[in-house]
Amino acid sequence: MPYINLRVAGELNREQKQQIVAEFTQTMVRVANKPAEYVIVTIDEAPLAGWGWGGQLLDEAD
Amino acid sequence: MPYINLRVAGELNREQKQQIVAEFTQTMVRVANKPAEYVIVTIDEAPLAGWGWGGQLLDEAD
Amino acid sequence: MPYINLRVAGELNREQKQQIVAEFTQTMVRVANKPAEYVIVTIDEAPLAGWGWGGQLLDEAD
Amino acid sequence: MPYINLRVAGELNREQKQQIVAEFTQTMVRVANKPAEYVIVTIDEAPLAGWGWGGQLLDEAD
Amino acid sequence: MPYINLRVAGELNREQKQQIVAEFTQTMVRVANKPAEYVIVTIDEAPLAGWGWGGQLLDEAD
Amino acid sequence: MPYINLRVAGELNREQKQQIVAEFTQTMVRVANKPAEYVIVTIDEAPLAGWGWGGQLLDEAD
């Protein structure tokens, strides 16, 4: 029943999402003995203009 | 002051959202004695391609 | 596959949690046609001293 | 390493987001002695039709 | 109706929490024209052993 | 800047947490080209009595 939320700045393509879901799930199976069919992963792709870091929006950092 | 976040794969229509908000709020009032005007519900409709389950994206499951 | 997170200020007893999980799940089944066995509910009981509302911590509001 | 998630109903313009990120970060530096470069802020602008309050969607409240 | 969740590694004392809640709320009022009585802040104090950064738990970083 | 939140029912020991943080971070580096020093992982260990699944609390499922 592990629930994993991944939030990234910018976008991921489909192959990246598939690979991330597969690998996170395998980690939970191998390391924490969770059945794969209970592992849920959600991915949020957030715009750079919606992230701040060090007091600035990501898209104004240089 | 209960705060409820619902995340669903795919979309809900307006009537479904109204009904869910109304029912979740009634549950909190009736079961937990919270005033209705303090209950907040947020709904996130996430694309199927952003959910993984059992190691696969939802839209590739068969 | 709906995922519901409920955050409340203070504690709920076991009967309240059972009832909330049962009712939220029934709502998702009835209103959104989701299978009950896919509905996940997590409950976070947060201390009053960890909530602010109107600019004050909940436990100093009068 | 503080992580701050702000969820608002409706939209913020770019200047508002910049100001919010700058001020939240300054608060964490000044009040909690966190280095600015460790403070992360994410902003979610949610549609009014995805928020319920008092048992109603925000866009039907009067 | 802004909802702000702050997650910090380690603990904050009561004065820090009060100050953070007050300042975040003032920022939302001043910058985003939100009424103070609608601003909600929740604070999660997470143990260092529950945070990873750069591939390590925070309490093993040197 | 990926931010990953893992919520599990029950507890993980220290070695499991270290391994999960290391592997999730490696996945983000390898698959999504993110620098390891930007990857943040937070782990929430939630009590079984705070999870519902299929309309029941996890600790009453049989």
Side-chain angles (χ1 to χ4, degrees):
Chain A
M1 187 115 334
Y3 177 82
I4 304 166
N5 178 254
L6 165 65
R7 176 182 284 253
V8 291
E11 300 192 359
L12 298 169
N13 64 36
R14 186 177 173 79
E15 286 68 30
Q16 290 173 313
K17 291 182 199 170
Q18 284 181 308
Q19 191 70 13
I20 289 167
V21 165
E23 295 196 12
F24 282 9
T25 302
Q26 290 158 12
T27 291
M28 294 310 298
V29 171
R30 193 167 9 84
V31 177
N33 301 314
K34 304 291 183 181
E37 65 268 26
Y38 288 1
V39 180
I40 297 170
V41 182
T42 57
I43 301 175
D44 290 322
E45 296 163 284
L48 293 181
W51 283 75
W53 194 33
Q56 290 189 302
L57 296 180
L58 281 191
D59 63 355
E60 65 188 317
D62 49 24
Chain B
M1 188 115 332
Y3 177 82
I4 304 165
N5 178 254
L6 164 65
R7 175 182 283 254
V8 290
E11 301 192 359
L12 298 170
N13 64 35
R14 186 177 173 78
E15 288 66 32
Q16 289 173 313
K17 292 182 199 172
Q18 284 181 309
Q19 192 69 15
I20 289 168
V21 165
E23 294 196 13
F24 281 10
T25 302
Q26 290 158 12
T27 291
M28 294 311 298
V29 171
R30 191 166 11 82
V31 178
N33 302 311
K34 305 289 184 182
E37 65 268 25
Y38 288 0
V39 180
I40 297 170
V41 182
T42 58
I43 301 174
D44 290 323
E45 295 162 285
L48 292 181
W51 284 75
W53 194 33
Q56 289 190 303
L57 295 180
L58 280 192
D59 63 355
E60 65 187 318
D62 48 19
Chain C
M1 187 114 331
Y3 177 82
I4 303 166
N5 177 254
L6 164 65
R7 176 182 283 255
V8 291
E11 301 191 359
L12 298 170
N13 63 37
R14 185 177 174 78
E15 288 67 30
Q16 289 173 312
K17 291 181 199 171
Q18 285 181 309
Q19 191 69 14
I20 288 168
V21 165
E23 294 196 13
F24 281 9
T25 301
Q26 290 158 13
T27 291
M28 294 311 297
V29 171
R30 194 168 6 85
V31 178
N33 301 312
K34 304 289 184 182
E37 64 268 26
Y38 289 0
V39 180
I40 297 169
V41 182
T42 58
I43 300 175
D44 290 322
E45 295 162 284
L48 292 181
W51 282 76
W53 194 33
Q56 290 189 304
L57 295 180
L58 281 191
D59 63 355
E60 65 188 318
D62 49 20
Chain D
M1 187 111 334
Y3 178 82
I4 304 166
N5 178 254
L6 165 64
R7 176 182 283 255
V8 291
E11 301 192 0
L12 298 170
N13 65 36
R14 187 176 172 79
E15 288 67 32
Q16 290 174 313
K17 290 182 199 170
Q18 284 182 308
Q19 192 70 15
I20 288 168
V21 165
E23 295 197 12
F24 281 9
T25 302
Q26 290 158 15
T27 291
M28 294 310 297
V29 171
R30 191 167 11 84
V31 176
N33 302 313
K34 304 291 184 182
E37 65 268 26
Y38 289 0
V39 180
I40 296 170
V41 182
T42 57
I43 301 175
D44 290 323
E45 296 162 285
L48 293 180
W51 283 74
W53 195 33
Q56 289 189 303
L57 295 180
L58 281 191
D59 64 354
E60 66 188 316
D62 50 19
Chain E
M1 189 115 329
Y3 178 82
I4 303 165
N5 177 255
L6 165 65
R7 176 183 282 255
V8 291
E11 300 192 0
L12 298 170
N13 64 37
R14 185 177 173 79
E15 287 68 30
Q16 290 174 312
K17 291 182 198 171
Q18 284 181 309
Q19 191 70 15
I20 288 168
V21 165
E23 295 197 13
F24 281 9
T25 302
Q26 290 158 15
T27 291
M28 294 310 297
V29 171
R30 191 166 11 82
V31 177
N33 302 312
K34 304 291 185 181
E37 65 269 26
Y38 289 0
V39 180
I40 297 170
V41 183
T42 57
I43 300 175
D44 290 321
E45 297 162 285
L48 293 180
W51 283 74
W53 194 33
Q56 289 189 304
L57 295 181
L58 281 191
D59 64 354
E60 66 188 315
D62 50 20
Chain F
M1 188 114 332
Y3 177 81
I4 303 165
N5 178 254
L6 165 65
R7 175 182 285 256
V8 290
E11 301 192 358
L12 298 170
N13 65 35
R14 186 178 173 78
E15 288 66 31
Q16 290 174 313
K17 291 182 200 171
Q18 283 181 308
Q19 191 70 15
I20 288 168
V21 166
E23 294 197 13
F24 282 8
T25 302
Q26 290 158 14
T27 292
M28 294 310 297
V29 172
R30 192 166 11 83
V31 177
N33 302 312
K34 304 291 185 181
E37 64 268 25
Y38 289 1
V39 180
I40 297 170
V41 183
T42 57
I43 301 174
D44 290 322
E45 296 162 285
L48 293 181
W51 284 75
W53 194 32
Q56 288 189 303
L57 295 179
L58 281 191
D59 63 354
E60 65 188 315
D62 50 17

PDB file of all heavy atoms in Angstrom, chain E residues 37-56:
ATOM      1  N   GLU E  37      -8.799  35.564   7.403  1.00  0.00           N
ATOM      2  CA  GLU E  37      -9.564  34.492   8.055  1.00  0.00           C
ATOM      3  C   GLU E  37      -9.769  33.282   7.136  1.00  0.00           C
ATOM      4  O   GLU E  37     -10.323  32.271   7.577  1.00  0.00           O
ATOM      5  CB  GLU E  37     -10.906  35.010   8.580  1.00  0.00           C
ATOM      6  CG  GLU E  37     -11.854  35.470   7.527  1.00  0.00           C
ATOM      7  CD  GLU E  37     -11.715  36.964   7.225  1.00  0.00           C
ATOM      8  OE1 GLU E  37     -10.612  37.522   7.445  1.00  0.00           O
ATOM      9  OE2 GLU E  37     -12.696  37.560   6.761  1.00  0.00           O
ATOM     10  N   TYR E  38      -9.325  33.377   5.880  1.00  0.00           N
ATOM     11  CA  TYR E  38      -9.413  32.219   4.988  1.00  0.00           C
ATOM     12  C   TYR E  38      -8.079  31.492   4.842  1.00  0.00           C
ATOM     13  O   TYR E  38      -8.019  30.460   4.181  1.00  0.00           O
ATOM     14  CB  TYR E  38      -9.846  32.660   3.585  1.00  0.00           C
ATOM     15  CG  TYR E  38     -11.265  33.101   3.452  1.00  0.00           C
ATOM     16  CD1 TYR E  38     -12.131  33.110   4.536  1.00  0.00           C
ATOM     17  CD2 TYR E  38     -11.770  33.504   2.218  1.00  0.00           C
ATOM     18  CE1 TYR E  38     -13.438  33.518   4.394  1.00  0.00           C
ATOM     19  CE2 TYR E  38     -13.076  33.912   2.070  1.00  0.00           C
ATOM     20  CZ  TYR E  38     -13.906  33.917   3.165  1.00  0.00           C
ATOM     21  OH  TYR E  38     -15.210  34.310   3.012  1.00  0.00           O
ATOM     22  N   VAL E  39      -7.024  32.039   5.410  1.00  0.00           N
ATOM     23  CA  VAL E  39      -5.701  31.448   5.192  1.00  0.00           C
ATOM     24  C   VAL E  39      -5.437  30.365   6.229  1.00  0.00           C
ATOM     25  O   VAL E  39      -5.506  30.613   7.439  1.00  0.00           O
ATOM     26  CB  VAL E  39      -4.584  32.509   5.263  1.00  0.00           C
ATOM     27  CG1 VAL E  39      -3.215  31.856   5.030  1.00  0.00           C
ATOM     28  CG2 VAL E  39      -4.826  33.614   4.239  1.00  0.00           C
ATOM     29  N   ILE E  40      -5.133  29.184   5.738  1.00  0.00           N
ATOM     30  CA  ILE E  40      -4.854  28.041   6.606  1.00  0.00           C
ATOM     31  C   ILE E  40      -3.399  27.622   6.406  1.00  0.00           C
ATOM     32  O   ILE E  40      -2.918  27.561   5.277  1.00  0.00           O
ATOM     33  CB  ILE E  40      -5.798  26.873   6.262  1.00  0.00           C
ATOM     34  CG1 ILE E  40      -7.234  27.294   6.539  1.00  0.00           C
ATOM     35  CG2 ILE E  40      -5.424  25.625   7.049  1.00  0.00           C
ATOM     36  CD1 ILE E  40      -8.256  26.325   6.019  1.00  0.00           C
ATOM     37  N   VAL E  41      -2.725  27.378   7.514  1.00  0.00           N
ATOM     38  CA  VAL E  41      -1.338  26.931   7.461  1.00  0.00           C
ATOM     39  C   VAL E  41      -1.225  25.664   8.298  1.00  0.00           C
ATOM     40  O   VAL E  41      -1.689  25.638   9.446  1.00  0.00           O
ATOM     41  CB  VAL E  41      -0.377  27.996   8.055  1.00  0.00           C
ATOM     42  CG1 VAL E  41       1.078  27.533   7.924  1.00  0.00           C
ATOM     43  CG2 VAL E  41      -0.553  29.351   7.381  1.00  0.00           C
ATOM     44  N   THR E  42      -0.645  24.628   7.730  1.00  0.00           N
ATOM     45  CA  THR E  42      -0.351  23.440   8.536  1.00  0.00           C
ATOM     46  C   THR E  42       1.160  23.215   8.520  1.00  0.00           C
ATOM     47  O   THR E  42       1.817  23.460   7.517  1.00  0.00           O
ATOM     48  CB  THR E  42      -1.083  22.182   8.023  1.00  0.00           C
ATOM     49  OG1 THR E  42      -0.726  21.957   6.667  1.00  0.00           O
ATOM     50  CG2 THR E  42      -2.588  22.353   8.123  1.00  0.00           C
ATOM     51  N   ILE E  43       1.663  22.781   9.659  1.00  0.00           N
ATOM     52  CA  ILE E  43       3.107  22.611   9.820  1.00  0.00           C
ATOM     53  C   ILE E  43       3.395  21.159  10.185  1.00  0.00           C
ATOM     54  O   ILE E  43       2.847  20.639  11.162  1.00  0.00           O
ATOM     55  CB  ILE E  43       3.649  23.538  10.926  1.00  0.00           C
ATOM     56  CG1 ILE E  43       3.364  25.008  10.567  1.00  0.00           C
ATOM     57  CG2 ILE E  43       5.152  23.316  11.136  1.00  0.00           C
ATOM     58  CD1 ILE E  43       3.752  26.003  11.658  1.00  0.00           C
ATOM     59  N   ASP E  44       4.237  20.510   9.386  1.00  0.00           N
ATOM     60  CA  ASP E  44       4.675  19.143   9.683  1.00  0.00           C
ATOM     61  C   ASP E  44       6.143  19.165  10.052  1.00  0.00           C
ATOM     62  O   ASP E  44       6.992  19.575   9.253  1.00  0.00           O
ATOM     63  CB  ASP E  44       4.502  18.241   8.450  1.00  0.00           C
ATOM     64  CG  ASP E  44       3.049  17.967   8.129  1.00  0.00           C
ATOM     65  OD1 ASP E  44       2.256  17.780   9.066  1.00  0.00           O
ATOM     66  OD2 ASP E  44       2.702  17.932   6.941  1.00  0.00           O
ATOM     67  N   GLU E  45       6.442  18.708  11.254  1.00  0.00           N
ATOM     68  CA  GLU E  45       7.839  18.593  11.693  1.00  0.00           C
ATOM     69  C   GLU E  45       8.275  17.147  11.504  1.00  0.00           C
ATOM     70  O   GLU E  45       7.826  16.262  12.215  1.00  0.00           O
ATOM     71  CB  GLU E  45       7.948  18.986  13.165  1.00  0.00           C
ATOM     72  CG  GLU E  45       7.572  20.447  13.426  1.00  0.00           C
ATOM     73  CD  GLU E  45       7.274  20.710  14.880  1.00  0.00           C
ATOM     74  OE1 GLU E  45       6.171  20.295  15.329  1.00  0.00           O
ATOM     75  OE2 GLU E  45       8.119  21.309  15.568  1.00  0.00           O
ATOM     76  N   ALA E  46       9.133  16.923  10.528  1.00  0.00           N
ATOM     77  CA  ALA E  46       9.516  15.554  10.185  1.00  0.00           C
ATOM     78  C   ALA E  46      10.895  15.241  10.749  1.00  0.00           C
ATOM     79  O   ALA E  46      11.782  16.086  10.756  1.00  0.00           O
ATOM     80  CB  ALA E  46       9.523  15.386   8.669  1.00  0.00           C
ATOM     81  N   PRO E  47      11.084  14.006  11.215  1.00  0.00           N
ATOM     82  CA  PRO E  47      12.391  13.624  11.748  1.00  0.00           C
ATOM     83  C   PRO E  47      13.461  13.638  10.652  1.00  0.00           C
ATOM     84  O   PRO E  47      13.179  13.328   9.498  1.00  0.00           O
ATOM     85  CB  PRO E  47      12.166  12.206  12.274  1.00  0.00           C
ATOM     86  CG  PRO E  47      10.941  11.719  11.577  1.00  0.00           C
ATOM     87  CD  PRO E  47      10.106  12.925  11.267  1.00  0.00           C
ATOM     88  N   LEU E  48      14.698  13.992  11.027  1.00  0.00           N
ATOM     89  CA  LEU E  48      15.805  13.998  10.058  1.00  0.00           C
ATOM     90  C   LEU E  48      15.953  12.637   9.393  1.00  0.00           C
ATOM     91  O   LEU E  48      16.340  12.541   8.230  1.00  0.00           O
ATOM     92  CB  LEU E  48      17.113  14.362  10.758  1.00  0.00           C
ATOM     93  CG  LEU E  48      17.217  15.797  11.297  1.00  0.00           C
ATOM     94  CD1 LEU E  48      18.577  16.004  11.955  1.00  0.00           C
ATOM     95  CD2 LEU E  48      17.009  16.815  10.191  1.00  0.00           C
ATOM     96  N   ALA E  49      15.646  11.581  10.113  1.00  0.00           N
ATOM     97  CA  ALA E  49      15.798  10.238   9.558  1.00  0.00           C
ATOM     98  C   ALA E  49      14.695   9.901   8.553  1.00  0.00           C
ATOM     99  O   ALA E  49      14.682   8.807   7.996  1.00  0.00           O
ATOM    100  CB  ALA E  49      15.810   9.205  10.683  1.00  0.00           C
ATOM    101  N   GLY E  50      13.777  10.824   8.322  1.00  0.00           N
ATOM    102  CA  GLY E  50      12.746  10.592   7.331  1.00  0.00           C
ATOM    103  C   GLY E  50      12.906  11.478   6.098  1.00  0.00           C
ATOM    104  O   GLY E  50      11.990  11.572   5.298  1.00  0.00           O
ATOM    105  N   TRP E  51      14.056  12.132   5.981  1.00  0.00           N
ATOM    106  CA  TRP E  51      14.328  12.978   4.807  1.00  0.00           C
ATOM    107  C   TRP E  51      15.569  12.475   4.099  1.00  0.00           C
ATOM    108  O   TRP E  51      16.597  12.236   4.738  1.00  0.00           O
ATOM    109  CB  TRP E  51      14.675  14.421   5.224  1.00  0.00           C
ATOM    110  CG  TRP E  51      13.552  15.281   5.631  1.00  0.00           C
ATOM    111  CD1 TRP E  51      12.874  15.208   6.788  1.00  0.00           C
ATOM    112  CD2 TRP E  51      12.992  16.392   4.901  1.00  0.00           C
ATOM    113  NE1 TRP E  51      11.926  16.198   6.823  1.00  0.00           N
ATOM    114  CE2 TRP E  51      11.977  16.941   5.684  1.00  0.00           C
ATOM    115  CE3 TRP E  51      13.256  16.965   3.662  1.00  0.00           C
ATOM    116  CZ2 TRP E  51      11.215  18.027   5.279  1.00  0.00           C
ATOM    117  CZ3 TRP E  51      12.503  18.047   3.256  1.00  0.00           C
ATOM    118  CH2 TRP E  51      11.484  18.573   4.046  1.00  0.00           C
ATOM    119  N   GLY E  52      15.479  12.420   2.793  1.00  0.00           N
ATOM    120  CA  GLY E  52      16.669  12.139   2.006  1.00  0.00           C
ATOM    121  C   GLY E  52      16.988  13.324   1.115  1.00  0.00           C
ATOM    122  O   GLY E  52      16.084  13.999   0.627  1.00  0.00           O
ATOM    123  N   TRP E  53      18.261  13.543   0.935  1.00  0.00           N
ATOM    124  CA  TRP E  53      18.698  14.638   0.078  1.00  0.00           C
ATOM    125  C   TRP E  53      20.026  14.229  -0.534  1.00  0.00           C
ATOM    126  O   TRP E  53      20.927  13.805   0.183  1.00  0.00           O
ATOM    127  CB  TRP E  53      18.833  15.917   0.917  1.00  0.00           C
ATOM    128  CG  TRP E  53      18.956  17.155   0.113  1.00  0.00           C
ATOM    129  CD1 TRP E  53      18.386  17.406  -1.099  1.00  0.00           C
ATOM    130  CD2 TRP E  53      19.690  18.317   0.456  1.00  0.00           C
ATOM    131  NE1 TRP E  53      18.717  18.661  -1.518  1.00  0.00           N
ATOM    132  CE2 TRP E  53      19.515  19.242  -0.585  1.00  0.00           C
ATOM    133  CE3 TRP E  53      20.475  18.673   1.549  1.00  0.00           C
ATOM    134  CZ2 TRP E  53      20.110  20.493  -0.585  1.00  0.00           C
ATOM    135  CZ3 TRP E  53      21.052  19.922   1.566  1.00  0.00           C
ATOM    136  CH2 TRP E  53      20.860  20.820   0.507  1.00  0.00           C
ATOM    137  N   GLY E  54      20.084  14.307  -1.852  1.00  0.00           N
ATOM    138  CA  GLY E  54      21.322  13.916  -2.509  1.00  0.00           C
ATOM    139  C   GLY E  54      21.613  12.428  -2.358  1.00  0.00           C
ATOM    140  O   GLY E  54      22.756  11.999  -2.458  1.00  0.00           O
ATOM    141  N   GLY E  55      20.552  11.655  -2.120  1.00  0.00           N
ATOM    142  CA  GLY E  55      20.724  10.209  -2.054  1.00  0.00           C
ATOM    143  C   GLY E  55      21.022   9.669  -0.668  1.00  0.00           C
ATOM    144  O   GLY E  55      21.179   8.461  -0.485  1.00  0.00           O
ATOM    145  N   GLN E  56      21.088  10.572   0.338  1.00  0.00           N
ATOM    146  CA  GLN E  56      21.374  10.148   1.720  1.00  0.00           C
ATOM    147  C   GLN E  56      20.295  10.662   2.657  1.00  0.00           C
ATOM    148  O   GLN E  56      19.672  11.696   2.404  1.00  0.00           O
ATOM    149  CB  GLN E  56      22.705  10.751   2.181  1.00  0.00           C
ATOM    150  CG  GLN E  56      23.932  10.170   1.535  1.00  0.00           C
ATOM    151  CD  GLN E  56      25.179  10.691   2.227  1.00  0.00           C
ATOM    152  OE1 GLN E  56      25.369  11.899   2.322  1.00  0.00           O
ATOM    153  NE2 GLN E  56      26.005   9.789   2.735  1.00  0.00           N
TER     154      GLN E  56
END
